Amino acid sequence: MNQNVNLLPDHRFVPSEWPYFHYVDRSLVEREGGFEATLRYAISRSGSLDSATTYSATTYFVERFVFPVAPSNVTNETKSRRLEVVDRLLDHLWLVAGLSYYKTSAATTIRIEGVAVGDRDLELHRLLLMRGLGEFCFVNQLSPELRPEYVVSGATERPPIVGLQLAAGPMCPVGGGKDSCVSIEALRAAALSPTLVTVRRFPIIQHVINDAELPDVAVERHLDSNIGAMNAAGALNGHVPATAIVSFAVMIAAVLNGHDAVVMSNERSASEGNVEYRGVSINHQWAKSDEAEAAIVSALARITPEVRWFSLLRPLSELEIARRFAATCERYFGSFSSCNRTQYIDAARRSTRWCGECPKCQFVYLALSTSLSREQVETIWEAELFSTSPIDGFRALLGLAEWKPFECVGEHLECRVALALVSARADWTDHPVLAALAEEVRSVGGWPTQDDVAACFSLADAPFVPNDYAGVIHAAT
């Protein structure tokens, strides 16, 4: 292949002219204190799919993950089996992390080089691309379901691997928001205190980990720096299924450190879409949905039955999570944040805790106002958001706009239930913004019933929660 294209500021990157995306190779190398994974990708502008062909122009990408590993006294045989599992998990991480580069061109052909991918695993990654890039397609006005042609080497299905000797208990990813705090405290209350894990650690997450006072592991993720230049030159950009990327990275960290479970904090509300686009439901949170969970659980089972990956909060609505946060997570009141602006890669654009304007701030403020006092939420945000935050943001949350905000927020019905509950609280009586929003919801016949309220606080089924964790979320009610 030719050398990397130099994308100068005045060079126009036209996605349609780069139709081939290549998964080139990936490797895992043991370093002092852990392992480093290197994932390589490329896009090319011309040529056939014959591997001997020299393409007219090719741009390469390299992404790295660093996995810290605690010292262990496992046998060489056990270590070998764990690394075999990690190698297969790395295939999945390589494929899903590649969507961060694939999206620059939305190439019509994908070639997977270097490893053989089985049919069922390929179906998972077709799904992750098609559904996980739904918002990306909506924003860029592409087809709502991308269906590139895959060219792969044939592969037979490999049997699951056993004998990993995993005994370190659960590993719980932490994002800095209320949900993972609820999971941590539910596990702690059940005497299943987890090891906390992050993939790319921002200051706000470190504050939460400090307050949790539990062991932790920090996985590093280093995106290729060429992405910024390509975006400036006209490459396509948008949302990718980040939760799936984090999930496979954390599974690798869990196996390397001897943990037998990865406990996610994805709630049932994540399965609701944001907007209907050309007959397809587009869901910003699809990678956190029950459909995604089912697909990833199935893929993991094909690798090993000895590692469990599941969402502990799947039975719960956002409002029930908010209620439990208020009841069990006081230690985090001064540190947690659900505002995505705290995790901008560009530190100059990063907020220190709450921006007070985005849909995420607005939703969490509304949800927690159902269970915390007005004084408490104002102390947490250092503001009274119903008065200071744009009312149109709250209208969108309540289903009074064209689509639900593309953020990890609750269902329209949940937001209307929250509005009804907050409006009835003595400390919010006669608030003009709440009154105006309530009047607008009533005018469209959307005011929630008592049955709606009850449904928001009920527990749904959670088919993927293992038996030994099934009582955790019920015991914490």
Side-chain angles (χ1 to χ4, degrees):
M1 291 186 180
N2 293 342
Q3 294 299 309
N4 190 21
V5 173
N6 182 22
L7 291 172
L8 300 173
D10 60 350
H11 179 91
R12 178 68 179 166
F13 182 90
V14 182
S16 61
E17 295 179 0
W18 295 78
Y20 305 113
F21 184 78
H22 311 266
Y23 287 92
V24 178
D25 62 47
R26 89 292 182 283
S27 61
L28 186 72
V29 177
E30 188 167 10
R31 307 288 192 196
E32 183 178 357
F35 287 80
E36 180 174 330
T38 302
L39 315 177
R40 295 181 175 85
Y41 313 94
I43 54 172
S44 60
R45 191 160 56 188
S46 64
S48 73
L49 290 176
D50 182 349
S51 61
T53 299
T54 298
Y55 298 98
S56 62
T58 302
T59 296
Y60 298 94
F61 307 96
V62 178
E63 179 164 327
R64 294 186 304 109
F65 285 82
V66 179
F67 300 94
V69 179
S72 172
N73 59 359
V74 298
T75 65
N76 288 336
E77 181 181 1
T78 297
K79 180 178 179 180
S80 176
R81 290 182 179 180
R82 289 184 184 180
L83 289 177
E84 188 177 354
V85 167
V86 167
D87 188 65
R88 288 168 64 174
L89 289 170
L90 189 61
D91 285 346
H92 288 292
L93 179 61
W94 179 47
L95 293 176
V96 70
L99 297 182
S100 296
Y101 309 99
Y102 166 82
K103 72 178 181 181
T104 61
S105 65
T108 54
T109 302
I110 292 177
R111 181 184 178 100
I112 300 174
E113 303 170 8
V115 300
V117 179
D119 290 342
R120 287 189 290 175
D121 287 341
L122 184 59
E123 284 306 307
L124 166 66
H125 289 281
R126 289 183 193 272
L127 184 67
L128 288 170
L129 186 154
M130 183 174 65
R131 296 281 182 250
L133 293 183
E135 179 186 339
F136 161 82
C137 292
F138 174 78
V139 169
N140 291 285
Q141 293 296 287
L142 305 175
S143 167
E145 296 182 333
L146 294 177
R147 298 176 185 270
E149 177 189 2
Y150 281 82
V151 179
V152 300
S153 302
T156 57
E157 299 294 341
R158 293 170 287 182
I161 302 164
V162 296
L164 305 182
Q165 302 295 313
L166 304 171
M171 184 170 265
C172 186
V174 179
K178 68 185 188 322
D179 299 356
S180 52
C181 294
V182 170
S183 290
I184 293 167
E185 294 311 309
L187 291 167
R188 195 199 306 263
L192 291 167
S193 293
T195 294
L196 310 183
V197 60
T198 57
V199 177
R200 189 185 286 145
R201 185 169 297 186
F202 294 92
I204 194 70
I205 300 176
Q206 186 62 57
H207 298 329
V208 170
I209 288 174
N210 292 345
D211 284 347
E213 299 181 309
L214 290 167
D216 68 280
V217 172
V219 176
E220 299 175 27
R221 182 188 183 192
H222 302 276
L223 288 160
D224 192 295
S225 60
N226 200 30
I227 282 290
M230 292 185 67
N231 289 338
L236 295 174
N237 200 5
H239 185 67
V240 297
T243 299
I245 298 171
V246 168
S247 294
F248 282 110
V250 172
M251 288 182 210
I252 291 172
V255 174
L256 288 174
N257 286 280
H259 296 269
D260 65 354
V262 174
V263 180
M264 303 296 289
S265 302
N266 305 326
E267 72 290 337
R268 73 174 189 238
S269 311
S271 297
E272 181 185 72
N274 296 74
V275 66
E276 191 86 0
Y277 172 54
R278 300 184 190 177
V280 175
S281 177
I282 303 299
N283 184 1
H284 171 82
Q285 300 188 81
W286 181 83
K288 295 171 61 178
S289 71
D290 52 4
E291 182 183 23
E293 183 169 359
I296 294 174
V297 165
S298 178
L300 178 58
R302 292 192 293 273
I303 298 173
T304 179
E306 296 183 4
V307 180
R308 286 84 55 79
W309 173 93
F310 60 94
S311 177
L312 186 67
L313 305 188
R314 181 65 65 195
L316 308 183
S317 71
E318 284 275 20
L319 293 189
E320 176 61 14
I321 292 171
R323 186 188 72 80
R324 294 182 185 220
F325 180 84
T328 66
C329 297
E330 186 175 0
R331 69 164 67 210
Y332 307 107
F333 284 6
S335 60
F336 89 103
S337 174
S338 299
C339 178
N340 289 335
R341 296 183 188 180
T342 64
Q343 300 186 20
Y344 282 171
I345 295 176
D346 182 356
R349 299 174 57 224
R350 194 180 301 160
S351 63
T352 56
R353 191 172 179 204
W354 303 99
C355 73
E357 299 177 350
C358 71
K360 198 74 176 290
C361 281
Q362 292 178 319
F363 171 70
V364 178
Y365 191 90
L366 176 63
L368 285 179
S369 292
T370 65
S371 297
L372 293 176
S373 70
R374 178 170 179 168
E375 181 182 3
Q376 286 175 308
V377 293
E378 289 182 6
T379 298
I380 290 170
W381 270 265
E382 298 182 345
E384 193 270 272
L385 295 198
F386 294 130
S387 296
T388 62
S389 194
I391 191 170
D392 280 346
F394 289 110
R395 292 183 70 256
L397 292 171
L398 294 163
L400 301 170
E402 191 172 354
W403 58 73
K404 188 172 76 173
F406 286 113
E407 294 275 9
C408 295
V409 297
E411 299 171 347
H412 287 321
L413 178 60
E414 285 182 303
C415 293
R416 293 180 177 192
V417 167
L419 176 64
L421 294 175
V422 175
S423 298
R425 291 178 65 109
D427 45 2
W428 291 108
T429 299
D430 299 326
H431 191 287
V433 173
L434 293 176
L437 290 169
E439 181 178 357
E440 189 171 0
V441 171
R442 286 190 174 96
S443 73
V444 298
W447 196 250
T449 66
Q450 286 303 311
D451 286 344
D452 292 332
V453 175
C456 279
F457 291 95
S458 65
L459 271 64
D461 293 335
F464 302 114
V465 176
N467 290 336
D468 50 336
Y469 284 85
V472 172
I473 208 65
H474 292 81
T477 56

